[in-house]
């Protein structure tokens, strides 16, 4: 409600939306109350009806579904910006929740004031508390609706909120700490970008890093090594979680020559660490597609042509001529016609086809 009132006061062109998650029968009536307020203010209003099931990870599932619905709604109405009502309380609660999980700097950083494109989600109230917004609405003589789930102690966020109240913790200092951590995270990212330009190289589908650089960063800048590896692995397959990266750093300190993690295969070569896609984690073949995994396929594709991982069909290619390791080529694209291999562009069997990486040509560009 505070977002709506503020936007009206500023004379902005608005379209309001209420998301009904389908979890409470009262939610429909509450949405009607908001619609009536909007009608009186001559603001178009929509209600988005979701159908969530109660159960595990409800708040996370609700958040994911809500953002997806808001994105679709904004695009349908050609709205470039969606305003969200997150406050300093939300920032403080998230900080404490993640501290309890042992989260690193990036996870402790304040949520961004702006995120996403088409639409851009904007959070204008991150420096204001819920109580200040309530006081403002009270001064204007405008009521609001409290979601009863905000008092449901089944949810971790609610329990954190209750502990904050019991300890009389002011959310603003906590939110300022989260903001400072966001600035630190951005600085670390810039440093990681500079290190990547000097220490990461792309070899076909793989990322290479000199072992001398790995050893140096293990001793002097472990956080930067963690960021470099996370960026490289996300570019290759999936972004690893914090515990995964901790295990990887442990493996690098040991004598292991190969390991798998987050869809990647790591190999300690003579002078370099090689990260490649683990063939067993590749997506299944797709029929009639010119895009598969992280590759764009150039060449004739028919409805009966499939694109998938090369795998054991590598034995039918002159792969040694490519100069790439066999393990690296297993996860590269292969084109098949009715199940028969007809091309493997990176394994020396082009036959009129090519394969190029989609998106950024290398990590940290």
């Amino acid at each position: 409600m505070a977002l709506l009132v503020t936007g009206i006061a500023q004379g902005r062109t608005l379209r309001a939306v209420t998301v009904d998650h389908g979890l409470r029968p009262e939610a429909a009536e509450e949405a009607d109350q908001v619609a009536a307020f909007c009608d009186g203010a001559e603001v178009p209003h929509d209600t988005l009806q979701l159908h969530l099931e109660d159960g595990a990870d409800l708040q996370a599932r609700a958040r994911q579904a809500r953002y997806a619905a808001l994105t679709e709604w904004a695009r349908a109405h050609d709205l470039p910006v969606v305003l969200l009502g997150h406050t300093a309380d939300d920032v403080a609660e998230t900080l404490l929740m993640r501290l309890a999980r042992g989260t690193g700097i990036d996870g402790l950083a304040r949520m961004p004031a702006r995120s996403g494109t088409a639409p851009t989600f904007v959070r204008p109230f991150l420096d204001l508390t819920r109580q200040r917004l309530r006081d403002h609405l009270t001064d204007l003589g405008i009521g609001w609706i409290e979601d009863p789930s905000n008092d449901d102690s089944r949810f971790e966020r609610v329990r954190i909120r209750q502990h904050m109240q019991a300890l009389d913790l002011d959310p603003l200092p906590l939110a300022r700490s989260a903001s400072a951590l966001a600035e630190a995270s951005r600085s670390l990212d810039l440093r990681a970008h500079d290190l990547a330009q000097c220490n990461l190289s792309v070899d076909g589908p793989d990322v290479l890093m000199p072992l001398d650089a790995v050893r140096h960063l293990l001793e002097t800048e472990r956080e930067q090594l963690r960021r470099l590896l996370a960026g490289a692995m996300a570019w290759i397959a999936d972004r690893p979680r914090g515990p995964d990266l901790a295990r990887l750093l442990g493996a690098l300190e040991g004598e292991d020559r190969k390991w798998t993690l987050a869809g990647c295969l790591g190999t300690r070569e003579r002078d370099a660490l090689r990260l490649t896609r683990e063939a067993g984690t590749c997506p299944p073949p797709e029929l009639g597609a010119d895009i598969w995994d992280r590759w764009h396929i150039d060449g004739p594709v028919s409805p009966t042509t499939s694109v998938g991982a090369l795998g054991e069909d590598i034995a039918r290619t002159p792969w040694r001529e490519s100069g790439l390791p066999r393990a690296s080529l297993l996860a590269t694209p292969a084109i098949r016609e009715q199940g028969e291999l007809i091309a493997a562009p990176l394994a020396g069997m082009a036959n009129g086809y090519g394969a190029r990486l989609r998106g950024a040509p290398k990590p940290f560009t």
Side-chain angles (χ1 to χ4, degrees):
M1 184 60 75
L3 273 176
L4 180 59
V5 170
T6 302
I8 293 171
Q10 293 176 348
R12 296 181 180 274
T13 301
L14 301 173
R15 187 178 192 98
V17 61
T18 301
V19 180
D20 180 356
H21 297 87
L23 295 168
R24 297 184 299 110
E26 304 87 356
E29 182 180 344
E30 293 165 1
D32 289 341
Q33 294 178 35
V34 177
F37 181 91
C38 290
D39 186 56
E42 298 183 344
V43 173
H45 175 272
D46 302 297
T47 298
L48 305 181
Q49 183 66 57
L50 305 181
H51 301 281
L52 293 175
E53 296 290 336
D54 202 351
D57 298 323
L58 177 58
Q59 289 200 320
R61 289 188 288 110
R63 180 171 57 253
Q64 184 178 14
R66 183 168 59 248
Y67 273 93
L70 288 171
T71 297
E72 184 178 349
W73 168 78
R75 291 174 180 173
H77 294 285
D78 198 25
L79 301 174
V81 173
V82 175
L83 301 178
L84 301 175
H86 295 102
T87 66
D89 297 73
D90 295 297
V91 175
E93 291 159 7
T94 301
L95 175 69
L96 293 176
M97 289 166 62
R98 293 181 176 174
L99 276 172
R101 299 172 195 159
T103 304
I105 291 175
D106 292 348
L108 297 176
R110 189 185 83 166
M111 66 185 77
R114 302 174 67 90
S115 63
T117 57
T120 298
F121 289 100
V122 177
R123 304 169 180 85
F125 293 158
L126 292 180
D127 294 321
L128 303 176
T129 63
R130 291 192 193 106
Q131 190 56 51
R132 181 170 176 181
L133 297 179
R134 289 171 179 144
D135 291 343
H136 178 61
L137 291 174
T138 299
D139 291 343
L140 295 174
I142 298 173
W144 62 90
I145 299 169
E146 292 283 359
D147 185 342
S149 66
N150 289 333
D151 295 318
D152 189 340
S153 59
R154 290 182 303 162
F155 302 126
E156 180 187 16
R157 182 175 293 275
V158 173
R159 295 195 298 273
I160 290 290
R161 186 178 303 148
Q162 292 169 344
H163 290 318
M164 288 177 62
Q165 292 169 351
L167 294 171
D168 196 26
L169 289 180
D170 185 345
L172 281 175
L174 292 169
R176 285 196 292 270
S177 292
S179 182
L181 287 165
E183 292 180 7
S185 177
R186 285 192 291 271
S187 295
L188 288 167
D189 277 342
L190 289 173
R191 169 66 174 157
H193 183 277
D194 291 342
L195 286 170
Q197 307 314 306
C198 302
N199 295 292
L200 296 186
S201 60
V202 173
D203 185 25
D206 302 344
V207 175
L208 298 179
M209 185 173 185
L211 286 177
D212 286 346
V214 172
R215 286 188 285 266
H216 176 72
L217 291 174
L218 274 172
E219 294 175 2
T220 62
E221 296 186 77
R222 290 177 70 89
E223 174 61 23
Q224 290 301 345
L225 179 58
R226 187 179 292 111
R227 286 171 182 268
L228 290 180
L229 295 174
M233 294 168 74
W235 183 76
I236 292 169
D238 297 312
R239 180 166 290 278
R241 299 175 299 171
D244 292 333
L245 283 171
R247 286 196 297 273
L248 176 54
L249 294 185
L252 289 172
E253 288 177 316
E255 299 299 323
D256 295 350
R257 299 199 62 81
K258 289 188 178 182
W259 58 90
T260 57
L261 196 68
C264 290
L265 170 66
T267 305
R268 195 193 306 262
E269 299 183 341
R270 179 178 178 183
D271 298 315
L273 169 67
R274 180 181 291 271
L275 295 173
T276 191
R277 185 76 147 106
E278 186 183 0
T281 65
C282 288
E286 294 190 31
L287 282 172
D290 60 0
I291 291 176
W292 174 79
D293 198 19
R294 57 192 180 118
W295 298 93
H296 184 93
I297 306 303
D298 298 313
V301 177
S302 73
T304 58
T305 303
S306 69
V307 182
L310 176 56
E312 293 306 315
D313 272 346
I314 194 171
R316 302 176 59 189
T317 72
W319 64 270
R320 290 179 178 82
E321 298 175 6
S322 72
L324 290 168
R326 182 180 185 276
S328 300
L329 292 167
L330 292 175
T332 59
I335 298 90
R336 296 176 175 89
E337 185 66 40
Q338 297 183 348
E340 288 296 318
L341 181 69
I342 59 173
L346 276 78
M349 186 179 174
N351 286 346
Y353 288 87
R356 10 184 207 102
L357 289 163
R358 299 190 294 133
K362 61 184 296 188
F364 295 96
T365 54

